[in-house]
Amino acid sequence: MMKGISVLTVNQLLLQNERFIGDYNVEIARWSNGKWSSTIPTLYAILTDHRLILQPHARKLYEPAIIPAHYILHIVPLRTPTRFGVVLTLKTEQRVALLIPTHQKDEIIRNLRTIALPGLKENPRQLQIQCDMQNVRKMINYFAHW
């Protein structure tokens, strides 16, 4: 982690009975002027068996945006001439586009699809996690000003 950057750690974010799957550095992708562009700062994304947790690499500590796995309806690869990413479609009909470092692209797509599978959603040990769209909107608004 970079000096002076504040993010909550995996241990601080995991709930009881939640399993850590992976962590990634991603960027929000915005469609503008006919092309995809990335936002700054990057996001620290933590994927668990129940949630996708997004928090900016910033000097100030921000409340993470949490997307429960059962809110992810579709996962579609996103390709630009120079970058790779993914577009998540949520139950709320919002789409979140993320650019992913090339060396992590296969792993994150596979892991996102694994947690979003319908069979996994009916897991008896599924945690009851609600999607707090207020924090997701805060994250979107945060990047809208960059």
Side-chain angles (χ1 to χ4, degrees):
M1 194 171 317
M2 297 178 277
K3 186 177 180 180
I5 300 298
S6 295
V7 293
L8 295 172
T9 65
V10 172
N11 290 334
Q12 293 170 309
L13 290 166
L14 282 180
L15 301 173
Q16 186 176 358
N17 296 323
E18 189 172 30
R19 186 175 53 87
F20 171 76
I21 294 177
D23 58 346
Y24 313 93
N25 287 308
V26 300
E27 299 166 14
I28 294 287
R30 283 190 291 189
W31 182 255
S32 165
N33 297 325
K35 64 179 183 173
W36 288 102
S37 59
S38 64
T39 58
I40 297 173
T42 59
L43 294 175
Y44 178 51
I46 296 170
L47 188 61
T48 75
D49 55 343
H50 297 288
R51 306 180 291 165
L52 174 61
I53 304 165
L54 303 169
Q55 52 186 335
H57 284 282
R59 295 192 190 287
K60 179 181 171 188
L61 187 60
Y62 288 90
E63 186 75 24
I66 297 173
I67 302 171
H70 63 275
Y71 268 73
I72 301 171
L73 293 178
H74 301 286
I75 301 161
V76 179
L78 168 67
R79 298 185 199 285
T80 74
T82 58
R83 304 284 306 273
F84 181 84
V86 64
V87 178
L88 307 176
T89 303
L90 308 179
K91 281 184 180 179
T92 59
E93 297 182 14
Q94 286 187 297
R95 288 183 176 81
V96 178
L98 302 172
L99 293 174
I100 304 163
T102 304
H103 70 281
Q104 293 181 316
K105 70 180 176 90
D106 295 330
E107 177 186 342
I108 195 170
I109 290 280
R110 180 180 61 248
N111 289 339
L112 281 167
R113 286 185 173 152
T114 299
I115 70 162
L117 285 174
L120 199 63
K121 293 177 193 173
E122 297 161 11
N123 185 335
R125 77 173 198 96
Q126 178 73 34
L127 300 177
Q128 296 303 313
I129 301 169
Q130 295 299 313
C131 187
D132 183 357
M133 287 310 296
Q134 182 178 357
N135 282 337
V136 174
R137 284 187 194 100
K138 280 183 190 177
M139 185 78 60
I140 291 167
N141 290 336
Y142 174 82
F143 285 104
H145 294 87
W146 281 88

